[in-house]
Amino acid sequence: MCGIFCLLSLSPAESPHDQRLHQNLRRRGPDSAQDLTVSHAGPFSRCLFSAHVLHMRGPLTRQPVRDAGGNVLLWNGEVFAGVPVAPDENDTAVVARRLSACDAPAELVSALARVRGPWAFVYYQRARRCLWFGRDFFGRRSLLWRFDAEAEALTLTSVAGDACGAGPWLEVPAAGVYRIDLEAGRVAGTGGGVTLEVYPWATAAAGGGLPSPENVPSNCVATMNPWGLVLAPPVSPLNTAVPEEVEDGVLRSPPASRVAAEDLEAALASRERTGEVDRLIAVLSEAVQRRVLSLPSDVGDESPPPPPNEDHASVAVLFSGGIDSMILAALADRHVPAHQPIDLLNVAFKLQEKRRQQPAKKAKNKKDGEDQNKPAATAAASETPSPFDVPDRLTGRAGLRELRALNPARRWNFVEVNVTEEELREARRERVRHLVQPLDTVLDDSIGCAMWFAARGEGVVTRAAGDQTPFASLAKVLLTGIGADEQLAGYSRHRVRFKTSGHQGLVQELAMELGRISSRNLGRDDRIIADHGKEARFPYLDEDVVDYLNSLPVWRKADLSLPRGVGEKLLLRQAARALGLGSSALLPKRAMQFGSRIAKMENGRERASDRCNRLLSA
């Protein structure tokens, strides 16, 4: 993983150096930094390539990678499947060799489509005098762009710099890959801009293939590539089948899925044994295995040393104690060597004293049984002695007890990341507001801040004697549960859509969720987590996992006629029970901003979609 940067200049004049942008790139890749300039005779004067590498596997491969033919690669990604990478190889070097062997656009597009794993890249193909760039199918790695009309330059970068400057930053749409013909010259009528040839994923091509104009930098024009080439998508289309759900004008669910909300074991026993649970566990387990074993090795003199002692892990989980993170931790336990610890990073924002002293409110007008199946550990924070005993802290501790029961021999480092209001303000001002760009909503602020502190992993752990010890997680790999809710109907809006439009509406909502995850979540999360020189890995978005879930009809994945804590993500809850997990399998969805209580530290009247002034004036 790394921070990549490319400045494509139409003018021989030097562009001003953005110190903030350079600092942000350096934090992403602390193990190696290097610049390379390629001069070009023609309309485009030069390309400046810069890479900051976080070494993750095989021998350290410095970037930019330049081959004997003069081709240049910037690669921010991981190859988990699709292309063979030996244990003693670095995937950047493997990808560079494969791209070097390509000549025609069809060959290069085919080579990229075979890669399974997250990636963003920039590739200068010298023989063809062109520049390629793009993101993977789900957009799991950040790539931003903007065109500076005054400097006559197009910038591509993993992360933005100062909010001010020439034109707004935009996320490169994860709709395919893009190519710039460096011999083509300027685009007429665009103020000297750039023509972008689009090579869309086949699924995007069905809808036209081109990104919407508002997602393309000013003075640039996106056009379909002249050969009509598309990339083969890595997953099968979403199963859109729906049951016969209307009877006498009343919506109904498949009878086989109706079970008592209070008895998940009955759900496992009553549903037809078609193997979905075992198959989901199998593909998820393999996805986790790929991500916890692709770690820095001892190959080469420049490889980083192993963790300094047995307290420090190589793998951490962003951990709330909810079902998504519990399953990731349980599966990581299968594959991380037994002598190594696993860090569980649990973030909490300090509750204000006046709010903690309020008596617990009685539940009124609760919909969908949202208080059912809630474990005793989630009692109101006002009844607990610590200002950091927020809901996610309490469920996290309960989840820790379940994991210790599953494997008492494992050292589980439950890292309590405690954040005060003063620390929050400083981090937002100095780091988060720059990283969240170009997103700017209240939701982006809340999740971005919470995730930044959690990923940093600085807090305390409680040892066997009950003593709390300061602790900083050194794990470079962070497993996160994003993708589970989007595929298994975990959000409250899915329940609303199901109530109003039945299974057909729910299918449409799930298709939209996965289609927008790159712009709504993943680019932001990558920028936030990588700021600590760590890498986010998303097992629920592994291509094999998504492909399997896409193959299932919606009623095999969720039954939203059942109450919260059971009906949503029902298949995943059954998998949790099969893995031996307990009450965590019945926890309803709780968003990070509410579970960590960061939302309580700000204006309660704000809506998640409102533009966040704190990101502008912090």
Side-chain angles (χ1 to χ4, degrees):
M1 200 280 293
C2 62
I4 60 178
F5 172 91
C6 175
L7 179 71
L8 176 60
S9 180
L10 287 153
S11 168
E14 292 285 338
S15 299
H17 190 65
D18 188 333
Q19 293 292 339
R20 172 71 68 174
L21 190 153
H22 182 77
Q23 178 193 47
N24 290 344
L25 290 169
R26 187 173 64 247
R27 288 172 65 95
R28 290 176 64 92
D31 297 327
S32 170
Q34 191 168 263
D35 295 344
L36 173 66
T37 300
V38 175
S39 299
H40 192 271
F44 295 89
S45 297
R46 61 190 174 86
C47 287
L48 169 62
F49 301 95
S50 182
H52 300 256
V53 176
L54 175 68
H55 177 223
M56 298 302 295
R57 62 200 293 193
L60 175 63
T61 300
R62 298 187 181 278
Q63 296 192 48
V65 177
R66 189 173 192 173
D67 66 15
N71 304 306
V72 178
L73 174 66
L74 298 175
W75 177 256
N76 176 24
E78 295 286 352
V79 179
F80 291 130
V83 173
V85 180
D88 60 346
E89 287 186 305
N90 179 275
D91 63 337
T92 303
V94 171
V95 171
R97 288 198 303 270
R98 285 185 168 257
L99 295 183
S100 296
C102 299
D103 180 26
E107 296 173 327
L108 194 140
V109 165
S110 177
L112 288 169
R114 283 195 291 270
V115 176
R116 299 293 181 266
W119 50 264
F121 83 109
V122 179
Y123 184 64
Y124 170 65
Q125 193 176 20
R126 184 175 182 274
R128 292 274 179 168
R129 298 294 193 272
C130 63
L131 190 75
W132 296 83
F133 59 94
R135 303 164 69 192
D136 72 81
F137 185 78
F138 299 115
R140 289 164 288 188
R141 291 290 175 259
S142 171
L143 191 63
L144 309 180
W145 59 2
R146 75 174 177 184
F147 186 81
D148 185 339
E150 182 177 348
E152 297 182 296
L154 176 71
T155 301
L156 300 163
T157 178
S158 296
V159 62
D162 289 324
C164 59
W169 290 104
L170 301 170
E171 287 189 320
V172 175
V177 298
Y178 304 81
R179 178 181 180 270
I180 299 174
D181 184 347
L182 301 182
E183 301 288 346
R186 305 183 182 197
V187 181
T190 65
V194 180
T195 297
L196 310 163
E197 292 179 4
V198 183
Y199 296 73
W201 297 100
T203 50
L210 300 180
S212 57
E214 63 266 22
N215 294 326
V216 176
S218 59
N219 301 321
C220 297
V221 175
T223 63
M224 185 66 178
N225 70 85
W227 302 279
L229 295 172
V230 298
L231 290 87
V235 298
S236 59
L238 180 67
N239 187 328
T240 59
V242 295
E244 295 292 332
E245 57 183 352
V246 178
E247 185 175 294
D248 298 327
V250 179
L251 286 173
R252 63 180 177 84
S253 296
S257 68
R258 288 196 173 279
V259 294
E262 66 276 8
D263 191 358
L264 188 57
E265 285 81 1
L268 284 168
S270 65
R271 290 174 70 93
E272 182 182 356
R273 298 298 296 177
T274 57
E276 290 105 332
V277 172
D278 292 339
R279 178 59 181 157
L280 177 59
I281 291 173
V283 294
L284 259 179
S285 180
E286 187 173 352
V288 170
Q289 182 181 34
R290 291 168 179 159
R291 285 155 178 79
V292 302
L293 296 185
S294 296
L295 302 175
S297 68
D298 297 328
V299 179
D301 295 335
E302 295 178 296
S303 293
N309 60 58
E310 64 178 10
D311 285 341
H312 292 288
S314 296
V315 174
V317 181
L318 294 182
F319 188 76
S320 66
I323 183 172
D324 304 342
S325 59
M326 283 292 292
I327 284 182
L328 293 185
L331 292 177
D333 182 51
R334 289 184 170 187
H335 303 296
V336 173
H339 67 279
Q340 295 182 9
I342 295 175
D343 291 347
L344 308 174
L345 309 180
N346 183 275
V347 65
F349 290 82
K350 187 176 182 180
L351 294 172
Q352 296 182 23
E353 193 68 23
K354 62 181 181 180
R355 289 176 179 161
R356 289 199 304 120
Q357 291 175 348
Q358 292 176 353
K361 295 181 180 180
K362 294 182 180 180
K364 293 183 179 180
N365 300 322
K366 294 295 183 180
K367 297 181 179 180
D368 304 321
E370 64 182 69
D371 283 336
Q372 296 184 31
N373 309 311
K374 189 175 293 186
T378 59
S382 60
E383 299 175 357
T384 61
S386 171
F388 295 106
D389 281 350
V390 300
D392 277 1
R393 177 61 47 78
L394 301 177
T395 54
R397 289 173 183 159
L400 174 64
R401 290 192 290 271
E402 289 189 31
L403 293 173
R404 283 175 172 167
L406 282 179
N407 187 356
R410 169 81 65 187
R411 180 185 286 272
W412 300 96
N413 291 325
F414 183 71
V415 187
E416 299 185 19
V417 179
N418 299 326
V419 186
T420 65
E421 188 171 0
E422 293 75 17
E423 291 171 319
L424 170 62
R425 289 177 177 173
E426 181 181 0
R428 179 189 288 120
R429 180 180 63 251
E430 295 298 323
R431 303 301 317 148
V432 177
R433 71 187 182 107
H434 303 288
L435 301 170
V436 168
Q437 286 188 80
L439 306 184
D440 61 1
T441 69
V442 170
L443 181 66
D444 296 314
D445 172 56
S446 296
I447 294 180
C449 290
M451 192 168 289
W452 189 87
F453 280 104
R456 187 174 66 168
E458 294 181 4
V460 296
V461 295
T462 303
R463 297 306 184 193
D467 299 327
Q468 286 197 328
T469 305
F471 188 92
S473 174
L474 300 183
K476 282 188 175 183
V477 169
L478 271 63
L479 301 181
T480 171
I482 190 169
D485 291 305
E486 287 79 2
Q487 297 180 80
L488 293 156
Y491 293 121
S492 59
R493 58 181 173 268
H494 297 143
R495 188 172 291 276
V496 171
R497 186 65 184 275
F498 175 74
K499 283 185 174 181
T500 58
S501 305
H503 286 96
Q504 185 67 56
L506 179 59
V507 168
Q508 294 171 357
E509 193 77 12
L510 294 178
M512 180 187 68
E513 291 282 5
L514 209 54
R516 70 181 183 180
I517 197 171
S518 63
S519 59
R520 190 179 177 92
N521 304 88
L522 294 175
R524 176 199 65 208
D525 295 353
D526 174 68
R527 293 189 293 275
I528 290 290
I529 292 173
D531 192 55
H532 301 293
K534 300 179 181 183
E535 181 173 287
R537 294 186 175 178
F538 310 98
Y540 290 107
L541 291 173
D542 179 90
E543 286 83 353
D544 288 344
V545 174
V546 177
D547 189 71
Y548 175 62
L549 290 176
N550 274 0
S551 73
L552 297 176
V554 66
W555 66 86
R556 293 290 189 184
K557 296 180 283 190
D559 183 354
L560 300 188
S561 67
L562 297 175
R564 290 182 71 237
V566 179
E568 73 279 13
K569 299 189 285 192
L570 179 59
L571 184 63
L572 197 63
R573 297 183 190 282
Q574 293 175 294
R577 278 292 201 245
L579 288 170
L581 298 178
S583 60
S584 60
L586 290 167
L587 287 176
K589 168 68 180 178
R590 185 169 54 226
M592 188 179 195
Q593 65 270 29
F594 301 118
S596 67
R597 283 298 188 258
I598 185 174
K600 292 290 187 180
M601 301 185 80
E602 308 298 349
N603 181 0
R605 297 180 180 178
E606 293 176 323
R607 293 180 299 178
S609 59
D610 288 345
R611 192 177 188 192
C612 184
N613 292 327
R614 292 183 296 278
L615 293 173
L616 304 175
S617 59

